[in-house]
């Protein structure tokens, strides 16, 4: 049995997970897409699976466990990922008007992203740690 922690780029708060369970009961399986586009800018958009089609310019950041049968996939546009690749993202929820296209819109709550910089072990795990002088010399 491994005691090593699982490293992930994405997480979910308990409050957001509770809302996701309610929304899944209403809409079926869900997914997130973080585009950075014009509609609500950097708000994560939550869609029923199949309602938003990802393409080759989208990056699967990982999955979140909201206490459902299946994990929820979280995607980001490749161009946005270039700006955010050194951060860990946590999906949270706060009172407010959700995005017009996102399923939480009518609930009086809205999803948002909280971010922090990746830790050194995370940077190494995701291949983002700067090369050290000894690594450069060994090439």
């Amino acid at each position: 049995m491994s005691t090593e922690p699982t490293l992930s780029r994405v997480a979910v708060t308990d409050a957001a997970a509770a809302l996701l369970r309610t929304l899944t009961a209403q809409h079926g399986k869900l997914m997130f897409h973080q585009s950075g586009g014009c509609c609500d800018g950097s708000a994560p958009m939550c869609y029923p699976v199949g309602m938003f089609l990802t393409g080759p310019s989208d990056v699967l950041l990982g999955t979140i466990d909201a206490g459902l049968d299946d994990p929820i996939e979280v995607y980001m546009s490749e161009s946005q990922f270039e700006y955010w690749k050194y951060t860990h993202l946590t999906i949270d929820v706060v009172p407010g008007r959700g995005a017009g296209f996102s399923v939480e819109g009518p609930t009086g709550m809205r999803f948002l992203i909280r971010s922090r910089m990746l830790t050194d072990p995370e940077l190494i795990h995701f291949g983002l740690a700067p090369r050290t002088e000894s690594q450069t010399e060994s090439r």
Side-chain angles (χ1 to χ4, degrees), residues 3-105:
T3 58
E4 193 173 310
T6 302
L7 299 179
S8 172
R9 290 184 173 278
V10 292
V12 64
T13 64
D14 291 341
L19 180 57
L20 286 165
R21 289 190 296 274
T22 300
L23 293 170
T24 298
Q26 294 172 356
H27 301 282
K29 288 180 64 173
L30 301 171
M31 56 89 67
F32 278 98
H33 188 270
Q34 176 77 40
S35 72
C38 65
C39 300
D40 268 348
S42 62
M45 305 293 255
C46 184
Y47 302 100
V49 169
M51 175 104 32
F52 180 91
L53 301 178
T54 58
S57 63
D58 291 305
V59 176
L60 175 61
L61 297 178
T63 60
I64 53 175
D65 180 358
L68 298 160
D69 290 339
D70 298 305
I72 297 174
E73 293 181 332
V74 180
Y75 291 88
M76 179 179 281
S77 65
E78 189 174 46
S79 60
Q80 190 74 1
F81 179 70
E82 280 305 306
Y83 294 110
W84 291 59
K85 67 183 172 185
Y86 293 99
T87 60
H88 179 276
L89 307 178
T90 300
I91 296 175
D92 198 0
V93 66
V94 295
R97 172 104 171 92
F101 302 113
S102 194
V103 294
E104 85 280 7

